[in-house]
Amino acid sequence: MKIVDRKTFLKLPQGTFFAKGEMWSIDGFCVKGESYKNDFRYQNLVDFEWVSDEDHAETCDRMLETGESRPINKSEMRDGCFSDDDYFLVFEKEDLKYIKELIDQHA
């Protein structure tokens, strides 16, 4: 893995796996979409399908209480934060191979 700043991240190709944060608090697991001048699109892999903020909270409650399963949210979002203080933990090919090995072993 490597850590890059926003300017460097925007130059990376679509399909880059990453986590975003500020110095030194980074979380999430996302896939980069298209870059724009100072913005980008991404898919958050740590999210499920939901319709509204109220629906999201209610769904979280049901998932916890009943064990309900929800599909991963396949929608792309726009970052829209424009903060030069953001840092990105970028997963490299060897990291992704290891994650795939773990999935193959445990799924």
Side-chain angles (χ1 to χ4, degrees):
M1 289 183 258
K2 61 183 175 182
I3 294 176
V4 300
D5 61 17
R6 183 179 190 82
K7 182 178 177 183
T8 303
F9 178 77
L10 290 170
K11 294 176 185 175
L12 295 176
Q14 291 183 33
T16 297
F17 286 78
F18 72 96
K20 179 184 165 188
E22 296 176 0
M23 188 90 53
W24 302 117
S25 174
I26 299 172
D27 64 4
F29 191 54
C30 304
V31 181
K32 184 177 179 287
E34 184 178 4
S35 285
Y36 305 107
K37 188 174 184 176
N38 191 27
D39 200 4
F40 63 95
R41 297 190 64 76
Y42 68 98
Q43 181 182 355
N44 182 354
L45 298 176
V46 189
D47 194 14
F48 55 85
E49 288 184 358
W50 51 282
V51 179
S52 65
D53 289 344
E54 184 177 290
D55 175 60
H56 186 268
E58 290 172 359
T59 300
C60 286
D61 289 341
R62 279 195 319 273
M63 291 171 77
L64 181 61
E65 292 169 8
T66 69
E68 178 182 332
S69 179
R70 298 291 297 219
I72 194 167
N73 186 344
K74 296 177 180 137
S75 300
E76 273 196 356
M77 298 174 255
R78 187 177 144 238
D79 181 60
C81 292
F82 312 109
S83 175
D84 290 333
D85 293 333
D86 287 340
Y87 287 88
F88 301 84
L89 181 69
V90 176
F91 294 83
E92 297 175 293
K93 189 171 187 169
E94 289 303 313
D95 305 315
L96 297 172
K97 283 182 182 179
Y98 177 69
I99 291 168
K100 183 181 182 311
E101 287 175 17
L102 289 174
I103 290 168
D104 290 343
Q105 287 175 13
H106 301 287

